[in-house]
Amino acid sequence: ALNAINENMVQQISCKLVEWRGREDLEVVCIEGAGTKAFCAGGDVVSITKEQVESVALNFFHDEFQMNHMIGTYPKVYVALIHGITMGGGVGLSVHGKYRVATDKSLYAMPETAIGYFPDVGGSYFLSRLPQPYGMFLGLTGHRLRGADLKHMGIATHYTTAEKLPALKADILTSDRSSIGDILQKHEVEAPAPFSLDPHESLIKHCFSADSVAGILSRLEQDGSDFALKLVKSLQRMSPRSLVITHRLLSIAPSKSYEECFAMEFRAAHQIVRSGEFTEGVRALLVDKDNAPVWNPAKIEEVTEEMVEEYFKESPAVMATLR
């Protein structure tokens, strides 16, 4: 995947952030993706699942979550240029920073439910704080937003064009804390209207405000529009376990702090890695690419309350798996 983030990259970025945090002569940190196609297409989930060793995946998530948390609490001004593909782990590298600049080439998604996982990297925190129920919609479906959509949705703080990026970056390199806001505004262009989801606003608000995944599917089927039925078909391909876990995470996250959301996600990650669901999803979609995952359970109605509760229990054993 383009600029997929792995353990080595997490360690390098984290070390730099720690180093720069203590430098009095540095006021602004700017991050961008290598090349022109992607900011970061997500975590390198193939490498962390191929050994099928729980601790490899869990250590990666632990270190990645710590890095994401650091970004959201960073004392320097943090600017992410989210040009190109920005998914999963790439969202975690950007969305918690003070400024996120989208371009006309940006492509955003949190597609984790399709691989037997859930929107992590602080996804429960930021998705639950978007206008609702759009956060629930994006988290469950993995729907892709493009360009100006990111500004309309509040994922990006600023919007510009790819052509303006070189000049923007040059100005950022000579900026300080007091001038960065003016610099971003100088290079910003008006985000083109309309928001791509505007035609489906009433459907999304009605269907994705249901209090369960089963309720969401029922409302979509009752709606019967082409858009609704495409969503039903898409959701039915995803891991039932992941969908229910994601719905629970996003439902309770509004009452949780930034730190509590990360802790909650790590407990859920521990359980879903142990279940084998994540490894199976990665195998089917990214390794063998047969697009035929064998989910367990296979149906939404087979995901029991007892099963879900396991993902939200406080557990000292979880911490014992970490380095």
Side-chain angles (χ1 to χ4, degrees):
L2 293 166
N3 294 337
I5 188 164
N6 57 29
E7 178 67 23
N8 181 53
M9 293 165 67
V10 168
Q11 293 293 339
Q12 290 189 58
I13 293 171
S14 297
C15 286
K16 279 298 180 184
L17 289 175
V18 170
E19 174 191 337
W20 293 338
R21 186 168 55 191
R23 283 182 50 177
E24 294 184 2
D25 63 326
L26 191 153
E27 296 185 349
V28 179
V29 171
C30 181
I31 186 169
E32 65 173 336
T36 60
K37 293 184 178 180
F39 172 72
C40 172
D44 186 3
V45 294
V46 172
S47 69
I48 66 173
T49 56
K50 68 180 179 181
E51 297 180 38
Q52 298 191 19
V53 177
E54 288 180 14
S55 61
V56 172
L58 291 172
N59 283 328
F60 170 76
F61 290 135
H62 173 261
D63 295 345
E64 184 185 30
F65 289 8
Q66 283 193 325
M67 176 190 66
N68 300 143
H69 180 270
M70 191 190 315
I71 291 169
T73 57
Y74 207 58
K76 312 292 185 181
V77 177
Y78 187 95
V79 183
L81 304 179
I82 46 178
H83 174 67
I85 300 168
T86 305
M87 296 185 181
V91 176
L93 277 170
S94 56
V95 77
H96 303 297
K98 182 173 179 62
Y99 296 116
R100 292 92 59 191
V101 183
T103 76
D104 51 328
K105 305 298 183 183
S106 295
L107 174 63
Y108 159 97
M110 291 294 281
E112 290 81 2
T113 52
I115 57 169
Y117 195 54
F118 61 89
D120 64 343
V121 297
S124 62
Y125 183 83
F126 78 81
L127 284 171
S128 67
R129 284 156 176 81
L130 294 178
Q132 291 302 318
Y134 283 101
M136 182 69 74
F137 167 76
L138 294 171
L140 290 175
T141 66
H143 182 83
R144 296 182 175 190
L145 297 177
R146 299 175 186 272
D149 284 345
L150 279 70
K151 177 68 184 297
H152 291 307
M153 191 77 267
I155 295 167
T157 58
H158 295 77
Y159 174 78
T160 191
T161 62
E163 290 74 17
K164 283 179 165 284
L165 273 183
L168 171 59
K169 288 188 288 184
D171 280 354
I172 289 175
L173 289 175
T174 60
S175 69
D176 57 24
R177 179 181 292 271
S178 63
S179 64
I180 190 66
D182 290 338
I183 287 172
L184 293 174
Q185 187 173 4
K186 168 188 169 183
H187 293 278
E188 186 168 28
V189 300
E190 185 176 354
F195 177 36
S196 67
L197 291 176
D198 277 351
H200 311 294
E201 179 180 6
S202 60
L203 179 152
I204 291 171
K205 287 185 175 179
H206 173 66
C207 296
F208 285 85
S209 61
D211 61 5
S212 68
V213 177
I216 290 171
L217 286 168
S218 176
R219 291 184 183 185
L220 287 170
E221 289 170 344
Q222 290 172 11
D223 180 276
S225 64
D226 288 346
F227 184 71
L229 295 180
K230 285 180 182 178
L231 289 174
V232 170
K233 188 175 180 179
S234 176
L235 289 168
Q236 288 176 339
R237 290 196 299 266
M238 296 173 179
S239 162
R241 183 193 302 255
S242 294
L243 290 173
V244 175
I245 298 305
T246 297
H247 189 275
R248 176 69 63 88
L249 281 167
L250 297 183
S251 295
I252 64 180
S255 65
K256 303 292 185 181
S257 69
Y258 187 60
E259 291 75 13
E260 288 171 336
C261 283
F262 276 103
M264 179 171 63
E265 289 177 18
F266 186 71
R267 289 193 294 272
H270 180 267
Q271 290 296 329
I272 211 158
V273 167
R274 289 186 63 191
S275 74
E277 197 83 339
F278 175 50
T279 301
E280 171 61 11
V282 172
R283 178 207 66 76
L285 274 76
L286 301 175
V287 179
D288 297 341
K289 299 182 181 179
D290 58 20
N291 293 312
V294 180
W295 301 129
N296 181 27
K299 299 179 180 179
I300 290 291
E301 55 268 27
E302 294 172 352
V303 182
T304 66
E305 183 63 25
E306 292 76 18
M307 192 182 298
V308 174
E309 285 300 320
E310 287 296 316
Y311 288 77
F312 296 89
K313 284 183 178 178
E314 299 278 353
S315 175
V318 171
M319 301 310 296
T321 65
L322 303 179
R323 285 194 292 263

